[in-house]
Amino acid sequence: MKIFIDGEFYPEAEAKISVFDHGLLYGDGVFEGIRAYNNRVFKLSEHIDRLYDSAKAILLEIPYTKEELSEAVVETCRQNGMKNGYVRLVITRGPGYLGLSPDRCKKPTVIIIAALLELYPKEFYENGLAVITAPTTRTNPAALNPAIKSLNYLNNIMAKVEGSLAGVHEVIMLNSEGLVAECSGDNIFVIKNGVMRTPPIYMGALGGITRQTIVDLADQIGVPFQEQPMTRYDLFVSDEMFLTGTGAEVIPVVKVDGRSIGDGSVGEKTKQFMTAYSELTQTDGPVILSE
Ligand code: PMP
């Protein structure tokens, strides 16, 4: 595997960064998780735009133009001969010294890793996931806004661990008001009486690229859509539920906190979104290897 660090490609064993990098010391940085399908980098420009927004929000200046960084992502796939897989793009504050202030971090570190990804087992796409509400709430946007895809993922990790301890693969996270925000690494949608809903980003969610793709597909599928604050009650009484994320794609949920969603089977509209999404993945984004 060849890994991009600051403009050079390194074999995996030699891909190293400083122990004084504030990405490591403080989780000070931003990242993206991107997929390649069918020799194309899916939704690349959307991921690049979100990365630059995350960086801007934390006053981190990315030392490349969007065009240069996009090309570096495609080139990393090319160097690894990867036509289908996962790309992790990481920008850290860079090496500085001990101490919180990024003043002495003169040069952000740019890392691009192209690798294969472990998805949820196939049976969950066929039969649906069971999830729980995590005891840990999502970070308050006034403290650290979940809309920023920062390297500071401890909040999500703790919730994910709580899920694992309870025997589930994903967890729903509430905000500090007790309203539904998102999941540890996915956004959440419900369908009730034919209307699709997801919580607004200001509830404490990441503006998911997959979330937006599903909203864009709603017209085509013929499902009215609303962003709406939700309580756990709204989840329990929904007819269908699914989660969205770059890694998970669209995954059905059939149980929340022990309550069956709808009749406990994967929803019909959910299946349509799964199919429409997987079709779209085959045709979007810049080509990796010209044939
Ligand atoms: N929420 C969180 C907390 C995430 O980390 C992610 C990405 N894994 C998502 C939602 C989904 O976002 P996207 O569709 O852009 O992958």
Side-chain angles (χ1 to χ4, degrees):
M1 192 195 295
K2 289 184 197 155
I3 294 163
F4 176 105
I5 305 178
D6 297 336
E8 306 279 341
F9 286 96
Y10 298 88
E12 196 174 326
E14 286 161 35
K16 293 175 182 167
I17 63 158
S18 166
V19 293
F20 292 104
D21 195 304
H22 280 212
L24 172 68
L25 290 175
Y26 297 116
D28 186 352
V30 294
F31 77 105
E32 282 296 321
I34 310 170
R35 287 286 283 278
Y37 296 96
N38 192 29
N39 196 27
R40 290 169 181 275
V41 185
F42 187 59
K43 298 279 173 193
L44 179 58
S45 64
E46 286 82 351
H47 283 282
I48 294 288
D49 285 347
R50 183 173 68 186
L51 183 77
Y52 277 74
D53 285 349
S54 294
K56 182 149 196 207
I58 67 162
L59 292 103
L60 172 59
E61 204 171 317
I62 299 177
Y64 295 102
T65 64
K66 287 187 179 183
E67 291 70 30
E68 287 166 347
L69 196 56
S70 303
E71 178 48 32
V73 168
V74 178
E75 184 57 28
T76 305
C77 295
R78 221 175 266 144
Q79 290 278 335
N80 288 281
M82 193 181 86
K83 295 183 180 179
N84 288 282
Y86 183 83
V87 181
R88 175 59 57 87
L89 174 51
V90 182
I91 321 274
T92 76
R93 187 75 68 181
Y97 207 60
L98 302 176
L100 281 180
S101 171
D103 283 0
R104 291 170 69 176
C105 304
K106 297 296 178 208
K107 192 168 155 289
T109 306
V110 179
I111 302 167
I112 310 174
I113 308 167
L116 291 176
L117 177 78
E118 270 180 47
L119 281 178
Y120 289 107
K122 198 161 170 265
E123 67 190 83
F124 292 120
Y125 292 90
E126 283 159 9
N127 304 322
L129 273 181
V131 300
I132 60 160
T133 310
T136 295
T137 57
R138 198 74 180 91
T139 319
N140 189 313
L144 173 61
N145 198 326
I148 302 169
K149 197 163 170 66
S150 84
L151 292 178
N152 230 293
Y153 253 54
L154 203 49
N155 175 236
N156 314 56
I157 292 166
M158 286 302 106
K160 178 102 183 165
V161 168
E162 287 162 355
S164 303
L165 290 172
V168 297
H169 286 81
E170 181 54 296
V171 287
I172 294 165
M173 298 185 75
L174 306 179
N175 66 18
S176 40
E177 265 70 59
L179 297 167
V180 177
E182 59 173 343
C183 297
S184 73
D186 299 300
N187 291 109
I188 183 166
F189 285 83
V190 299
I191 298 176
K192 170 79 171 169
N193 297 331
V195 180
M196 180 170 84
R197 296 191 176 87
T198 195
I201 302 302
Y202 63 77
M203 285 290 126
L206 179 71
I209 307 297
T210 321
R211 174 186 185 272
Q212 186 57 46
T213 306
I214 291 304
V215 171
D216 295 343
L217 284 171
D219 252 4
Q220 178 187 319
I221 293 187
V223 181
F225 164 71
Q226 292 172 346
E227 275 192 2
Q228 193 172 288
M230 287 179 210
T231 60
R232 285 168 76 229
Y233 166 84
D234 299 301
L235 304 181
F236 298 152
V237 302
S238 66
D239 301 325
E240 299 187 26
M241 185 182 300
F242 59 86
L243 312 181
T244 64
T246 296
E249 305 177 327
V250 181
I251 188 160
V253 175
V254 293
K255 204 171 249 193
V256 176
D257 295 332
R259 283 98 162 158
S260 286
I261 299 305
D263 65 6
S265 65
V266 175
E268 286 310 313
K269 290 286 178 209
T270 301
K271 285 183 194 162
Q272 289 181 35
F273 277 106
M274 290 168 73
T275 307
Y277 184 81
S278 98
E279 281 170 14
L280 196 63
T281 59
Q282 300 301 304
T283 55
D284 175 279
V287 168
I288 299 168
L289 291 156
S290 47
E291 271 135 12

